[in-house]
């Protein structure tokens, strides 16, 4: 078979020359136009060989669209051979969802990965594949700025990670923090506060207090107290959080500046005038030294010239 004939594999397939295509492939393992090699195997009822050819071809795909097409074909073959809920079929389904995401087709990716989760959850115990799928689902709804969906999936993710990895695993702690944050973002402050406190307690035990993730959770606790009008509790938490962040990062780190900005608001509410004056001078000088003129103006507008 010459290269000229090889270049017309699609036409050969359309003419029903499946045996010729398969014979050439088995002699050369040439993956050119592999779609029609796989289709030829299917026509000859050699489904497992079609599946294996597509698996091999996925390693050398030219583009994401081609990769998605091969994944879809693999899924169809796997469902025929093993059934829809067989693990092989579910893995193919998950690969379709991930490749849609990589192709920036987020709605399709979300739909497929939700289907993967539901099918897997019914048929098998939760495992790392489910955790991987939930991570992608959470990423997609975050990028779509669907905060209610984020809150739902962060809770589901946290529960699943606890089962699969254990409650004290770092991945589970990160999921618990995300859950607390997402509850905060949908104004469920009481629930968020409880989850943040739970996360903070575990992080102190596992990671230590002088850790950026632990202190990030501490900051979230203060945010929840503030939103619940617990201003004194928020103030106390922020003071300690600021001290620990300064010890960990120094005075010019963004987390330190953010904490000072929040603390400035609380000082005004609680009429802590001495500390308010010191903080506003520090922030004003920082903005000036770093060329953040807009921040200087914002500070003036927010708190009024009378305090400067």
């Amino acid at each position: 078979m010459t290269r000229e004939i090889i270049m017309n594999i699609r036409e050969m397939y359309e003419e029903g020359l499946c045996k010729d295509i398969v014979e050439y492939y088995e002699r050369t393992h040439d993956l050119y136009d592999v779609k029609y090699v796989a289709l030829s195997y299917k026509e000859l009822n050699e489904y497992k060989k079609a599946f294996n050819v597509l698996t091999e071809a996925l390693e050398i795909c030219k583009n994401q669209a081609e990769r998605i097409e091969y994944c879809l074909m693999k899924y169809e073959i796997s469902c025929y051979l093993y059934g829809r809920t067989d693990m092989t079929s579910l893995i193919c389904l998950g690969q379709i969802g991930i490749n849609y995401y990589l192709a920036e087709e987020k709605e399709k990716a979300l739909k497929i990965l939700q289907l993967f989760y539901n099918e897997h959850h019914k048929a098998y115990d939760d495992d790392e594949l489910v955790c991987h799928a939930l991570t992608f689902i959470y990423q997609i709804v975050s990028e779509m700025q669907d905060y209610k969906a984020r809150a739902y999936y962060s809770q589901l993710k946290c529960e699943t990670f606890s089962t699969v990895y254990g409650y004290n695993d770092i991945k589970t702690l990160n999921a618990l923090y995300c859950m607390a944050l997402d509850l905060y973002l949908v104004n469920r402050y009481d629930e968020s506060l409880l989850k943040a406190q739970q996360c903070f307690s575990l992080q102190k035990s596992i990671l230590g207090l002088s850790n950026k993730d632990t202190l990030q959770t501490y900051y979230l606790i203060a945010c929840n107290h503030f939103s619940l009008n617990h201003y004194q509790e928020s103030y106390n938490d922020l003071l300690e959080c600021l001290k620990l962040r300064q010890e960990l990062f120094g005075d010019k780190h963004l987390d330190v500046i953010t904490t000072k900005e929040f603390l400035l608001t609380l000082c005004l509410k609680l009429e802590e005038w001495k500390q308010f004056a010191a903080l506003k001078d520090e922030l004003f000088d920082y903005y000036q030294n770093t060329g953040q003129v807009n921040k200087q103006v914002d500070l003036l507008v927010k708190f009024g010239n009378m305090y400067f």
Side-chain angles (χ1 to χ4, degrees):
M1 190 179 289
T2 65
R3 187 66 187 174
E4 183 179 353
I5 295 175
I6 299 167
M7 294 295 287
N8 292 309
I9 285 179
R10 179 172 62 84
E11 288 85 348
M12 290 174 66
Y13 174 76
E14 290 170 352
E15 291 173 12
L17 300 174
C18 297
K19 284 187 179 179
D20 290 338
I21 293 171
V22 164
E23 285 174 4
Y24 174 77
Y25 169 74
E26 291 183 351
R27 195 167 63 249
T28 66
H29 289 281
D30 190 337
L31 289 172
Y32 183 83
D33 252 345
V34 71
K35 170 183 175 180
Y36 296 101
V37 176
L39 288 171
S40 295
Y41 272 125
K42 281 182 65 180
E43 289 292 331
L44 297 170
N45 292 319
E46 302 243 29
Y47 285 88
K48 287 186 179 180
K49 288 185 178 180
F51 185 89
N52 292 337
V53 165
L54 290 166
T55 300
E56 187 178 352
L58 278 168
E59 298 179 5
I60 58 168
C61 277
K62 300 172 188 138
N63 54 60
Q64 204 60 40
E66 193 174 74
R67 186 177 293 277
I68 290 169
E69 183 179 25
Y70 294 169
C71 286
L72 286 165
M73 290 175 70
K74 279 186 67 178
Y75 178 63
E76 180 188 355
I77 293 169
S78 184
C79 289
Y80 175 82
L81 286 172
Y82 311 115
R84 192 182 67 187
T85 59
D86 183 84
M87 185 60 77
T88 302
S89 301
L90 289 175
I91 289 171
C92 292
L93 185 62
Q95 289 173 341
I96 294 167
I98 290 169
N99 279 291
Y100 270 130
Y101 174 74
L102 295 174
E104 298 186 1
E105 295 191 54
K106 294 176 186 176
E107 290 184 1
K108 287 182 180 179
L110 181 59
K111 184 177 179 180
I112 293 293
L113 289 168
Q114 286 170 331
L115 177 61
F116 168 86
Y117 172 79
N118 291 333
E119 295 286 355
H120 189 293
H121 195 64
K122 290 175 189 174
Y124 302 97
D125 292 334
D126 289 336
D127 59 14
E128 284 197 88
L129 287 175
V130 169
C131 293
H132 195 46
L134 285 173
T135 299
F136 270 97
I137 290 171
Y138 180 77
Q139 181 66 28
I140 292 166
V141 296
S142 296
E143 291 176 8
M144 295 171 76
Q145 297 185 334
D146 186 341
Y147 294 110
K148 286 186 178 179
R150 268 184 62 162
Y152 172 77
Y153 280 109
S154 63
Q155 182 173 354
L156 187 58
K157 184 179 169 187
C158 184
E159 291 169 355
T160 305
F161 278 37
S162 297
T163 301
V164 175
Y165 299 118
Y167 211 74
N168 293 335
D169 188 88
I170 297 299
K171 292 183 285 295
T172 306
L173 285 179
N174 290 339
L176 181 57
Y177 170 78
C178 288
M179 181 180 173
L181 176 62
D182 291 328
L183 288 168
Y184 174 80
L185 292 173
V186 293
N187 305 326
R188 292 163 62 180
Y189 303 124
D190 285 312
E191 296 169 82
S192 176
L193 178 59
L194 288 173
K195 293 300 177 184
Q197 289 172 330
Q198 182 183 358
C199 184
F200 184 59
S201 178
L202 288 166
Q203 286 174 320
K204 282 194 295 181
S205 174
I206 296 166
L207 303 175
L209 192 54
S210 296
N211 175 276
K212 65 180 182 63
D213 291 335
T214 306
L215 295 179
Q216 185 179 44
T217 307
Y218 203 3
Y219 184 83
L220 180 57
I221 289 171
C223 290
N224 275 296
H225 277 308
F226 182 86
S227 297
L228 291 165
N229 299 325
H230 304 161
Y231 298 130
Q232 190 61 53
E233 290 90 336
S234 183
Y235 175 78
N236 294 339
D237 287 337
L238 274 180
L239 275 180
E240 183 63 18
C241 185
L242 175 61
K243 176 187 171 185
L244 291 166
R245 279 181 161 176
Q246 285 175 317
E247 290 173 358
L248 185 62
F249 299 123
D251 285 328
K252 296 181 180 179
H253 192 275
L254 181 59
D255 286 355
V256 172
I257 300 303
T258 301
T259 310
K260 285 182 177 181
E261 289 170 340
F262 191 3
L263 191 56
L264 190 67
T265 300
L266 273 164
C267 286
L268 188 59
K269 278 196 171 291
L270 295 173
E271 299 183 356
E272 295 283 352
W273 302 120
K274 184 176 180 181
Q275 188 165 35
F276 175 88
L279 278 172
K280 62 88 179 172
D281 286 342
E282 289 174 20
L283 287 169
F284 200 82
D285 290 344
Y286 172 80
Y287 296 147
Q288 188 171 42
N289 293 335
T290 54
Q292 298 184 62
V293 177
N294 289 341
K295 285 275 194 176
Q296 287 179 291
V297 173
D298 288 344
L299 203 62
L300 287 167
V301 170
K302 186 174 182 179
F303 296 108
N305 291 329
M306 62 177 290
Y307 297 111
F308 292 82

